[in-house]
Amino acid sequence: MERKAGEVRKYREIADDLRRRVSEGEFDEGRRKLPSERQLVEQYKATTTSAMTIRQALSVLRDEGLVESRVGSGWYVAEWKPIVRNALDRLFPDRWGEAESMWDVDIEGRRLDVEDLQVQLAPAPPEVARMLGVGAKVKVWHRDRRYVVDGVPVMRAASFIPDEFARGTRITENDTGEGGVYARLREAGHGPVSFREQVRGRPATAAEASDLRLAQGGTVFEQHRIARREDGCVVECSRMILDASRYLLVYDFPA
């Protein structure tokens, strides 16, 4: 146990120093490239002689969004502008009205593409059926897609809506129209008025890492949300997997 604690202390110390060097602009000139792993082992030889320890330190900074790995090229100071995801602002009803979607709040004019869109009527997974209050074999509408911002995959999202609320609306089509699912639910008389979200960070699974093109050891935010109409009935639930290095989660509470 003492050896493991020492190893953790070593890579944390290196990560702290590299973070300082990045913040002080040491690598801002030219291509913003960091020294190679071999060079970093030499620079931090008083702390470690292990390339693995260096990789662990770099992984810490990658998960914080400060650096990024480019296959076959090395490590660079990250140029990605984090997506600021303000949960309270984006769920405000006026945001998903006729003129604006929740994504407009997040990306502020950046290019958004939707890939691998799948829309189908099928039985809900057991945990989703429980949240929606439907039977295990009852079919609901699944909307599954990957979101890509400025050419970078950032999120996989799956939404589930009971057929009785979606039937006859554009929720059953690929393009739900301006305002998205919540605007269509409102038009059908089932507009959500309250939401509950849960967010946790964890290591990405192999499938998630492949889907979002994450580097080895990448982390994700797993976010679950349920939407209720005024009488408390759940009209939609969703599960989102976000590349944690691409997001800044913000919660602004009104005075």
Side-chain angles (χ1 to χ4, degrees), residues 173-197:
E173 303 174 13
N174 285 355
D175 183 0
T176 57
E178 293 182 341
V181 167
Y182 292 159
R184 304 292 80 75
L185 285 171
R186 182 168 60 185
E187 291 169 355
H190 307 293
V193 298
S194 65
F195 304 88
R196 183 173 186 267
E197 288 191 344

Side-chain angles (χ1 to χ4, degrees), residues 56-125:
Q56 289 176 312
L58 290 167
S59 294
V60 170
L61 302 190
R62 178 200 58 215
D63 293 344
E64 294 175 1
L66 292 180
V67 302
E68 58 188 16
S69 174
R70 301 179 188 174
V71 178
S73 182
W75 290 86
Y76 293 78
V77 177
E79 299 178 0
W80 176 264
K81 178 185 175 184
I83 300 171
V84 179
R85 189 173 175 87
N86 189 318
L88 299 182
D89 190 25
R90 73 194 307 275
L91 291 175
F92 191 71
D94 286 352
R95 292 296 195 182
W96 36 269
E98 295 181 358
E100 192 172 23
S101 75
M102 291 189 294
W103 266 98
D104 292 325
V105 181
D106 289 352
I107 63 176
E108 298 179 329
R110 299 163 74 172
R111 192 180 92 244
L112 170 67
D113 296 300
V114 178
E115 297 180 346
D116 194 23
L117 173 64
Q118 302 172 51
V119 182
Q120 61 177 324
L121 183 64

Side-chain angles (χ1 to χ4, degrees), residues 63-65 82-85 154-157 197-205 208 212 214 218-224 238-251:
D63 293 344
E64 294 175 1
I83 300 171
V84 179
R85 189 173 175 87
V154 297
M155 180 198 298
R156 166 69 67 173
E197 288 191 344
Q198 292 180 316
V199 182
R200 72 182 181 106
R202 59 168 176 77
T205 66
E208 291 163 349
L212 297 177
L214 304 180
T219 58
V220 295
F221 292 128
E222 181 176 346
Q223 185 171 10
H224 294 258
S238 57
R239 176 179 182 265
M240 294 154 280
I241 303 297
L242 294 71
D243 178 352
S245 70
R246 305 294 183 181
Y247 279 87
L248 175 64
L249 305 184
V250 176
Y251 297 85

